[in-house]
Amino acid sequence: MSISTADVIITSPGRNFVTLKIVTSDGVVGWGDATLNGRELAAGSYLRDHVASALIGRDEDRIEDTWQYLYRGAYWRRGPVTMAAIAAVDMALWDIKAKKLGVPLYQLLGGASRDKLRVYAHASGNDYAALSQAIRGYVDEGYTAVRIQTGVPGLDSVYGVSATAKPGEKYDYEPAHRAADGSAATRPEEEDWDTPAYLRHVPSIFEKVREEFGPELRLLHDGHHRMSPIEAARLAKSLEPYDLLWLEDATPGEDQEAFRLIRQHSTTPLATGEVFNSVYDYQTLITERLIDYVRSAPTHTGGITAMKKLLDFADIYGIRSGLHGPTDVSPIGMAAALHIDLAIHNFGIQEYMPHSDLTLETFRTSYTFDRGFLHPGNNPGLGVELDEDLAGHHPYTAAYLPVNRLLDGTVHDW
């Protein structure tokens, strides 16, 4: 048997997704996710114009060989576009193999290491009253872990904070902006940022959260790469009394040695990696134990094959998983993460931003949520199928993440 066709589908049921459909000569279909927020057409073109033709006629069972063929054979290695494309192929081939054997994918990764997967929710608010209400809603739903993001006094908007949700409404934050009328964006929006105000404000918010919700609720916070190493060390130290599960992306992750400075000043656990795309981005961080959680998504890190190797490497050093699970990873990519989570020994926690109803009509899923925990389901393969007819009704519409500027106008990390 061999690969017969490889087609790329870009659809936008509420937001943009890049999906690879591989069909074998005996009619088995495999699905892969290559979504790259704000650069979807680049990932789609890489797959359609450079990868798809190279797959035709290849043995679909040779997953490792195909991974190495695409990674090494292109000469230009790594990078988000390349690794998202490889990830899509890899997911689709694992999906096909598990379907042919009639088992859920996690059974091919060693079987289940646990019965369910703890997830964390995103709670945010421009002020503490709104934030508290959001947290309370998630606690009532059974969540035992919540990411805390807050507005900053003096700033009109803050990346990661929903300013539009009304009391009682589900948190539904989409950071990639379209035009005000919903049409395609032509360039990113720009937002102001003030690091000193942020550093003054955040510890007081966590103090209030702990006072209201007690010591048992697991709390997380995302710094979105905005701090210098010494600023990150200051924040990590100031948050120690509030016992965070982790402080994420405190400083730009590509400067791996910067994490040494944070470690010297604080015992707050650290997580990073959602903008990484290979094991080499983590090498120093893992071998020197400078982080506690790996934050990549299979979609952006070469797929299931590469992610499993990365997490096995991290396990040697006592580092756990905290895989990226935003709404700009499609349900296919989310399912891939859940199957890995269930199988690996060093699972930590899984990020979970539920997709919109429109997305879930287009991508039919078998994973389930119950009182703060997920399970990938027991359907053969990944357990996600794209409804191509519905996908065709939602054409690509350009959307971009915002760009941050300091108050003096300097472009800054978001």
Side-chain angles (χ1 to χ4, degrees), residues 1-6 20 22-28 50-74 86 89-90 92-93 96-97 100:
M1 303 301 173
S2 62
I3 295 171
S4 178
T5 63
L20 177 67
I22 291 179
V23 183
T24 67
S25 56
D26 56 346
V28 182
H50 304 290
V51 173
S53 61
L55 297 175
I56 307 306
R58 292 187 64 83
D59 183 346
E60 73 268 21
D61 286 329
R62 297 182 62 165
I63 299 176
E64 176 72 25
D65 182 62
T66 298
W67 197 98
Q68 299 294 345
Y69 172 79
L70 295 175
Y71 180 78
R72 299 176 187 277
I86 293 175
V89 175
D90 188 73
L93 295 183
I96 288 168
K97 184 178 284 289
K100 288 168 60 177

Side-chain angles (χ1 to χ4, degrees), residues 81-287:
V81 175
T82 295
M83 298 306 283
I86 293 175
V89 175
D90 188 73
M91 289 179 199
L93 295 183
W94 278 108
D95 192 26
I96 288 168
K97 184 178 284 289
K99 285 175 177 174
K100 288 168 60 177
L101 295 173
V103 297
L105 175 63
Y106 69 82
Q107 293 289 12
L108 303 186
L109 303 178
S113 290
R114 56 198 51 82
D115 297 325
K116 55 186 178 180
L117 305 167
R118 187 188 307 276
V119 300
Y120 70 88
H122 288 202
S124 73
N126 276 341
D127 55 33
Y128 184 75
L131 174 61
S132 173
Q133 185 176 48
I135 298 170
R136 180 64 60 191
Y138 285 122
V139 170
D140 290 345
E141 289 184 52
Y143 284 89
T144 59
V146 181
R147 191 187 82 164
I148 306 299
Q149 304 296 127
T150 177
V152 175
L155 299 180
D156 293 333
S157 61
V158 173
Y159 181 86
V161 176
S162 176
T164 59
K166 298 177 182 178
E169 288 185 344
K170 185 181 86 171
Y171 177 86
D172 192 17
Y173 175 67
E174 173 51 67
H177 298 152
R178 301 182 180 187
D181 61 1
S183 61
T186 57
R187 60 184 179 185
E189 294 185 5
E190 298 187 11
E191 299 177 350
D192 291 332
W193 179 248
D194 185 344
T195 304
Y198 164 78
L199 293 174
R200 291 191 300 268
H201 183 62
V202 168
S204 67
I205 292 296
F206 275 88
E207 181 179 18
K208 292 178 180 178
V209 171
R210 276 290 178 229
E211 288 176 354
E212 181 175 356
F213 293 94
E216 298 300 324
L217 183 63
R218 293 164 173 83
L219 302 181
L220 307 88
H221 180 66
D222 190 346
H224 290 297
H225 313 99
R226 291 175 174 134
M227 290 165 277
S228 69
I230 196 64
E231 290 168 341
R234 172 186 163 189
L235 180 64
K237 182 70 174 178
S238 67
L239 292 175
E240 282 184 5
Y242 312 115
D243 189 25
L244 270 63
L245 179 71
W246 76 43
L247 172 62
E248 176 185 349
D249 289 344
T251 196
E254 54 265 39
D255 183 3
Q256 297 187 30
E257 295 183 0
F259 283 76
R260 292 178 186 149
L261 183 61
I262 308 174
R263 282 292 207 219
Q264 290 170 4
H265 291 276
S266 175
T267 58
T268 295
L270 301 175
T272 199
E274 70 179 65
V275 300
F276 291 171
N277 52 72
S278 89
V279 66
Y280 299 105
D281 296 310
Y282 284 99
Q283 193 165 359
T284 298
L285 297 174
I286 289 176
T287 57

